[in-house]
């Protein structure tokens, strides 16, 4: 930008979830994430009731601004927003000085995601509430690693299953001359240089995410973060998700051998995804210093102990990774890749008993009041 401000976040790389409502869409294949959201519904409610301070002048409101960062296409984002709205109403109902206005509250809801997210499907499937005219919804395109809202404008922010997406794969793992040049498509946590490169990228991106939210949230505003990380000391490669990523890579290597794609393409493919260790995540939030960590805890994912079916794993990963794979390899490879993946998985299923557990976390941050 001419005035020295950062380049628009609209231009950053983006790997949207599968849009539409077809058989491979995110809408139909995000039960895992939906279950996660469901599992913290009560905790989120309790946390908002306890931490939203209506006594401060900023929250003596008749209209609230709520944002979901990395919303995708629903229906998960709708569940999240509904829970937040219900809780704010309840909070007003319980509060003596605000009791009377709980029926007149209005909500401005912002659905944020990258600009090539399928916002059309999101809008077409919006729940009834926007017709009732108490909730006013809009889409906000742009990368959440930069600011997408004016300063001091949001009351409650939320993000789920999004911040393991990096702004890009770390530069070093993409550079053939670097020690971190690798054969894997992910950070397995086995090679120190690769791990360091991913850690550095995560720190930079997550730091930028937190800083942007610190600017956008009003003092006393709340930020809910739900997602996946690794318990300290656990390597990605030992978790079932790490095993699945390696299997996807093996299929790509096979496809290169069959001439469907090239070895160079496979070698230069790096997932811009990183699951930090719990303490790493905490450190980045603390380093920012603009928030108090009100809650940061492990929450059991409802499917954690389930032996997920091969079909479930295949369709979930297809809906999640189709964008990033298509961007690198072109559209023609998706069917072939996931056919091969399904066959490989049937032949050699994930041994859930052998895998170590990853960790689902729930975080509630409160913007400090200076
Ligand atoms: N929150 C939803 C969707 C999670 S999928 C749920 O819990 O089901 C992750 C979403 O994050 C995708 O829609 C992806 O496009 C979005 N995302 C990833 N990086 C992003 C970025 N830098 N800015 C905005 N959205 C991003």
């Amino acid at each position: 930008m001419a005035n020295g401000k950062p380049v628009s976040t609209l231009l950053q790389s983006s790997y949207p979830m599968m849009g539409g409502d077809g058989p491979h869409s995110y809408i139909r294949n995000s039960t895992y994430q939906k279950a996660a959201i469901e599992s913290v519904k009560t905790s989120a409610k309790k946390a908002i009731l306890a931490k939203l301070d209506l006594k401060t002048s900023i929250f003596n409101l008749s209209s609230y601004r709520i944002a979901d960062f990395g919303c995708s296409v629903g229906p998960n984002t709708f569940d999240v927003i509904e829970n937040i709205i219900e809780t704010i109403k309840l909070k007003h109902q319980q509060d003596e000085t605000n009791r009377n206005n709980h029926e007149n509250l209005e909500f401005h809801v912002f659905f944020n995601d990258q600009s090539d997210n399928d916002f059309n499907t999101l809008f077409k499937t919006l729940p009834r509430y926007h017709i009732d005219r108490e909730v006013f919804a809009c889409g906000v395109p742009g990368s959440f690693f930069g600011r997408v809202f004016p300063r001091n404008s949001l009351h409650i922010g939320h993000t789920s299953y999004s911040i393991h997406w990096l702004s890009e794969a770390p530069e070093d793992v993409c550079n053939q001359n670097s020690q971190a040049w690798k054969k894997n498509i992910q950070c397995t946590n086995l090679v120190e240089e690769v791990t360091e490169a991913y850690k550095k990228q995560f720190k930079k991106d997550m730091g930028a995410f937190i800083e942007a939210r610190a600017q956008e949230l009003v003092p006393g505003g709340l930020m809910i973060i739900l997602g996946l990380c690794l318990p300290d000391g656990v390597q990605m490669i030992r978790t079932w998700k790490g095993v699945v990523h390696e299997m996807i890579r093996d299929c790509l290597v096979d496809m290169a051998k069959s001439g469907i794609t090239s070895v160079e393409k496979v070698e230069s493919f790096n997932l811009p995804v990183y699951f930090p260790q719990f303490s790493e995540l905490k450190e980045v939030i603390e380093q920012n210093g603009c928030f108090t960590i009100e809650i940061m805890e492990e929450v059991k994912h409802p499917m954690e102990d389930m032996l997920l079916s091969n079909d479930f794993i295949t369709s979930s990963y297809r809906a999640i990774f189709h964008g990033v794979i298509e961007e690198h390899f072109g559209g023609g490879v998706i069917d072939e890749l996931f056919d091969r993946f399904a066959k490989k998985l049937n032949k050699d299923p994930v041994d859930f008993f052998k895998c170590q557990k990853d960790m689902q976390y729930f975080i509630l941050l409160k913007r400090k009041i200076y």
Side-chain angles (χ1 to χ4, degrees):
M1 254 175 153
N3 60 6
K5 285 190 179 160
V7 176
S8 165
T9 55
L10 289 171
L11 300 176
Q12 291 186 5
S13 15
S14 135
Y15 318 100
M17 304 298 102
M18 183 68 179
D21 59 0
H24 300 304
S25 63
Y26 188 75
I27 287 190
R28 294 206 193 186
N29 295 288
S30 51
T31 319
Y32 191 87
Q33 296 86 333
K34 193 177 178 58
I37 289 167
E38 205 44 48
S39 73
V40 297
K41 202 171 164 184
T42 310
S43 313
K45 189 164 245 161
K46 274 192 196 153
I48 297 172
L49 285 176
K51 305 294 176 186
L52 196 69
D53 187 1
L54 298 191
K55 301 278 180 294
T56 63
S57 55
I58 298 164
F59 283 101
N60 198 353
L61 293 168
S62 57
S63 146
Y64 281 84
R65 284 185 293 274
I66 306 163
D68 190 23
F69 295 90
C71 61
S72 189
V73 280
N76 303 354
T77 187
F78 303 140
D79 292 354
V80 162
I81 295 298
E82 196 178 298
N83 192 37
I84 294 175
I85 289 177
E86 273 177 15
T87 311
I88 296 176
K89 284 185 183 172
L90 183 63
K91 176 85 191 176
H92 273 252
Q93 225 172 325
Q94 289 175 352
D95 188 89
E96 290 198 346
T97 44
N98 288 288
R99 192 169 290 152
N100 294 332
N101 78 359
H102 81 272
E103 277 173 9
N104 302 321
L105 289 174
E106 293 186 324
F107 300 92
H108 202 171
V109 173
F110 301 94
F111 295 100
N112 159 257
D113 208 294
Q114 298 278 29
S115 48
D116 51 5
N117 180 54
D118 185 3
F119 282 105
N120 279 341
T121 297
L122 177 97
F123 294 141
K124 279 188 213 150
T125 52
L126 266 181
R128 243 202 85 75
Y129 53 50
H130 76 294
I131 302 167
D132 297 337
R133 282 296 167 226
E134 74 171 8
V135 178
F136 299 83
C138 62
V140 178
S143 170
F144 52 45
F145 294 126
R147 217 143 54 74
V148 281
F149 294 101
R151 280 177 217 286
N152 281 322
S153 64
L154 291 179
H155 301 106
I156 299 192
H158 175 276
T159 190
S160 55
Y161 279 70
S162 298
I163 56 160
H164 52 269
W165 283 96
L166 301 171
S167 61
E168 58 187 352
E171 206 182 313
D172 278 354
V173 299
C174 304
N175 175 1
Q176 228 166 334
N177 300 320
S178 152
Q179 298 266 21
W181 172 256
K182 60 173 178 54
K183 290 267 184 284
N184 304 80
I185 62 169
Q186 63 168 338
C187 176
T188 54
N189 298 114
L190 290 177
V191 181
E192 202 183 320
E193 287 84 1
V194 176
T195 309
E196 278 315 308
Y198 270 94
K199 262 183 201 290
K200 206 168 120 197
Q201 186 68 44
F202 174 76
K203 224 173 149 178
K204 182 172 161 235
D205 287 341
M206 188 61 193
F209 179 93
I210 294 290
E211 177 53 30
R213 304 303 78 80
Q215 293 185 28
E216 294 165 347
L217 280 157
V218 298
L222 303 179
M223 182 71 212
I224 295 168
I225 308 178
L226 171 67
L228 282 176
C229 67
L230 297 171
D232 287 4
V234 169
Q235 295 166 317
M236 186 65 192
I237 192 82
R238 309 277 167 240
T239 68
W240 74 261
K241 294 180 184 81
V243 170
V244 163
H245 295 178
E246 285 307 284
M247 242 186 232
I248 293 177
R249 176 197 167 262
D250 291 347
C251 294
L252 288 167
V253 169
D254 290 346
M255 284 164 68
K257 282 184 193 149
S258 313
I260 300 166
T261 184
S262 67
V263 174
E264 293 74 37
K265 273 263 168 217
V266 178
E267 284 189 348
S268 59
F269 180 58
N270 298 293
L271 282 172
V273 162
Y274 177 69
F275 293 95
Q277 309 223 341
F278 188 76
S279 58
E280 231 178 304
L281 179 60
K282 189 154 187 244
E283 198 184 302
V284 182
I285 299 170
E286 282 171 346
Q287 260 172 12
N288 174 274
C290 292
F291 291 95
T292 50
I293 301 179
E294 302 289 336
I295 301 173
M296 182 161 184
E297 62 187 17
E298 179 180 1
V299 248
K300 195 172 163 63
H301 190 287
M303 296 180 168
E304 193 180 296
D305 298 326
M306 278 186 199
L307 307 180
L308 302 174
S309 77
N310 291 344
D311 284 351
F312 182 86
I313 296 173
T314 307
S315 33
S316 301
Y317 272 90
R318 184 175 175 144
I320 296 169
F321 281 162
H322 106 108
V324 67
I325 291 169
E326 199 169 87
E327 232 242 358
H328 188 82
F329 293 94
V333 305
I334 299 289
D335 283 341
E336 177 73 26
L337 172 62
F338 283 96
D339 281 354
R340 284 174 183 251
F341 177 74
K343 281 185 195 135
K344 205 178 245 322
L345 204 52
N346 284 334
K347 215 170 127 213
D348 188 13
V350 176
D351 187 344
F352 288 98
F353 294 108
K354 248 184 165 176
C355 293
Q356 288 185 303
K357 287 201 166 140
D358 50 33
M359 186 199 272
Q360 180 176 251
Y361 59 81
F362 172 76
I363 301 175
L364 179 84
L365 305 178
K366 188 168 185 170
R367 179 72 175 89
K368 285 182 183 166
I369 304 171
Y370 290 113

